Amino acid sequence: MTGRRIQVTVNYAALLIMNIAFYFVFTGENASHIYDAVGLISIIVVGVTFRNVHWKTGIWKLAHTKSKDLDERELSLTHWALSQSYAWFAVICLVIMFAFSLSSRMNICPQYTISIPLVVSLIYLSHTLPCSMIAWKAGTLPEGTE
């Protein structure tokens, strides 16, 4: 696994950990400053890995450039990344909705509603998934061909 792939994995793992930590703070069950600290550390990890994988490499700019400003290779790559990432995003959103519905029906956590950290995370995910797809694919290219 290349460095970029590891950082993409760490980025999304930290995002998941942040949501889990803030879930415990949000519900008030066993809420302590440990969950706050874990959530805040996770946000910092997300920010650092975002900077390293998406910003410094120029992948963020590539994925957010208008199609008229891209050459044929870049256009093909960004089209592939967008189609793949939004397919994954739809599945992730449906799984989250299913989990909320199921947990509500089973009275596991009937009072829990969708939190602001979850909504912000989904917005972040929708914008970074195309970049992550490009970073992941670039991890399979020989050095110097990116």
Side-chain angles (χ1 to χ4, degrees):
M1 198 182 246
T2 65
R4 272 195 199 153
R5 287 183 174 187
I6 290 169
Q7 287 195 51
V8 166
T9 304
V10 168
N11 183 272
Y12 291 133
L15 195 66
L16 180 64
I17 291 168
M18 184 260 324
N19 275 284
I20 292 169
F22 284 128
Y23 164 76
F24 285 109
V25 170
F26 183 75
T27 59
E29 296 174 16
N30 302 322
S32 74
H33 294 297
I34 296 288
Y35 296 121
D36 288 333
V38 168
L40 292 174
I41 290 168
S42 296
I43 290 172
I44 292 168
V45 170
V46 167
V48 168
T49 54
F50 171 84
R51 188 191 85 230
N52 292 342
V53 173
H54 303 296
W55 198 260
K56 287 174 82 176
T57 61
I59 295 173
W60 178 266
K61 185 178 180 186
L62 172 65
H64 290 82
T65 300
K66 293 180 181 182
S67 59
K68 67 179 180 137
D69 297 330
L70 299 173
D71 65 26
E72 189 174 312
R73 184 188 61 83
E74 293 169 332
L75 190 60
S76 174
L77 180 62
T78 56
H79 175 73
W80 170 82
L82 286 167
S83 63
Q84 290 292 311
S85 64
Y86 288 117
W88 276 99
F89 184 73
V91 170
I92 291 166
C93 287
L94 290 171
V95 167
I96 290 170
M97 287 187 286
F98 178 73
F100 275 108
S101 177
L102 190 63
S103 66
S104 175
R105 295 266 181 189
M106 295 176 68
N107 285 329
I108 294 171
C109 54
Q111 303 300 325
Y112 186 67
T113 60
I114 295 178
S115 66
I116 290 175
L118 178 60
V119 172
V120 170
S121 295
L122 289 173
I123 293 168
Y124 173 81
L125 188 65
S126 72
H127 282 280
T128 59
L129 264 177
C131 302
S132 295
M133 293 287 175
I134 293 170
W136 198 270
K137 186 172 185 170
T140 64
L141 299 173
E143 285 297 318
T145 59
E146 302 177 300

